[in-house]
Amino acid sequence: MRWVDPALPFDYQGPGFALSLPAGSRFFAGPVVLRTERIAGTDRLPAMAEAIDLPPDGETLNERGTLSFEVNPDAVPAESLGIYRWDAGHERWSYEGGDLDAGKTQLSLRFRRYGRFSLLQDASPPEIVEVRPSRGSHGVSRRPVILARVEEEGKGLDYDGVRFEVDGRFLESEFDPDRGLSRVLEPPLLAPGRHHLRVLATDLAGNASQPAEGDFEVR
C-alpha cells in the first residue's frame, strides 16, 4: 500500500508485472492497495502469472492506468495470451485485451477501473454448436440463410473468424460477438440438388474448432 498524490505519477515494479498511473489519474489523494495471489486459472484459461488485485473493485480512474505482465514467448505462443478481469457477478474471467511490445516479452493493458486482473492463456478452441442449413436437411431454398452459432471462452473471434464454404467455394461472412452468431453476407443462388457445407471457427488466439460439415438438399 502506498499513498498517492493525484498530481503525481505512480509507478510500481513487482515480480513479473508493472503498474503505472499517470499524473491526474486519481480524483483524490489516498492509498493505492495492490495484492498478488497465485492462481491456477481454469482448464480452458490457465494462468501464466499471479492475479493482481487493485481494490476497491470497480473504482474509476480519471485517466487510464497501465498494467503490464512479462511474457516468455518460448514458453507459450505470445498471441495466445491476454489480460483478463475477474467478473465476480458471473464468476468468470473476462478478456480485457493486451498489447504486445515489439520483442513479444511484455503484454500491457490500459485500464480505467480497478479490479482483479491476471495473465491467462486462451488454450481451447471455439465450438460450433449450430449450423444452418443443418446436415441432412431437405427442401432448402435456392438462396438459403447460411449461419453458424459459436461458443468461445477466451479472446473471442474476429469479425471474419468463421469460415464458410459451400461446395468448396469460400463465402464472406461476419461474426456478431454479442450473439455468438456468424452469418454469410451474400448467400449464393444454388442449383436444385445436393450441396456440401463446411464451417470452421478460429479464435483470436489461433485456436481452430473442429469443422462442422455435411450435405443438404436444395429443392
Side-chain angles (χ1 to χ4, degrees):
M1 181 177 69
R2 293 189 183 180
W3 190 269
V4 176
D5 185 328
L8 300 176
F10 171 79
D11 294 288
Y12 178 82
Q13 181 69 51
F17 73 94
L19 173 67
S20 178
L21 301 178
S25 61
R26 291 173 58 88
F27 291 100
F28 48 83
V32 170
V33 179
L34 187 152
R35 306 187 188 98
T36 63
E37 180 184 354
R38 186 178 298 277
I39 62 170
T42 69
D43 290 342
R44 299 172 69 89
L45 296 171
M48 298 290 108
E50 293 183 332
I52 309 297
D53 282 315
L54 294 170
D57 187 19
E59 181 175 301
T60 303
L61 295 170
N62 188 42
E63 299 289 343
R64 292 182 184 273
T66 302
L67 178 63
S68 302
F69 287 92
E70 296 175 4
V71 301
N72 181 358
D74 296 327
V76 296
E79 291 76 9
S80 70
L81 300 176
I83 299 177
Y84 291 71
R85 177 194 294 271
W86 177 249
D87 182 342
H90 294 89
E91 296 187 339
R92 63 181 178 87
W93 289 100
S94 176
Y95 177 64
E96 291 289 297
D99 297 317
L100 272 173
D101 66 357
K104 296 187 177 182
T105 60
Q106 182 173 272
L107 194 69
S108 299
L109 173 73
R110 299 185 70 234
F111 68 96
R112 192 178 289 276
R113 291 184 299 113
Y114 285 163
R116 163 171 271 213
F117 302 89
S118 191
L119 179 70
L120 307 180
Q121 181 190 15
D122 185 343
S124 61
E127 181 182 359
I128 300 172
V129 296
E130 181 185 3
V131 172
R132 296 182 190 174
S134 59
R135 181 171 57 183
S137 57
H138 297 271
V140 177
S141 67
R142 293 192 61 190
R143 198 181 296 276
V145 173
I146 304 175
L147 58 81
R149 195 173 302 278
V150 180
E151 292 183 352
E152 156 71 1
E153 181 182 356
K155 299 182 74 172
L157 278 68
D158 208 342
Y159 74 95
D160 58 352
V162 182
R163 181 181 178 88
F164 294 84
E165 295 178 3
V166 171
D167 302 331
R169 173 188 171 189
F170 167 73
L171 303 175
E172 187 176 357
S173 62
E174 186 171 22
F175 179 70
D176 179 351
D178 295 327
R179 301 171 62 195
L181 189 70
S182 184
R183 185 185 297 265
V184 170
L185 297 176
E186 296 183 7
L189 182 64
L190 301 175
R194 179 175 295 180
H195 296 272
H196 187 78
L197 173 62
R198 185 177 191 271
V199 185
L200 183 72
T202 304
D203 64 22
L204 289 169
N207 302 309
S209 70
Q210 291 293 322
E213 55 186 317
D215 294 340
F216 61 93
E217 291 280 346
V218 171
R219 62 175 181 266

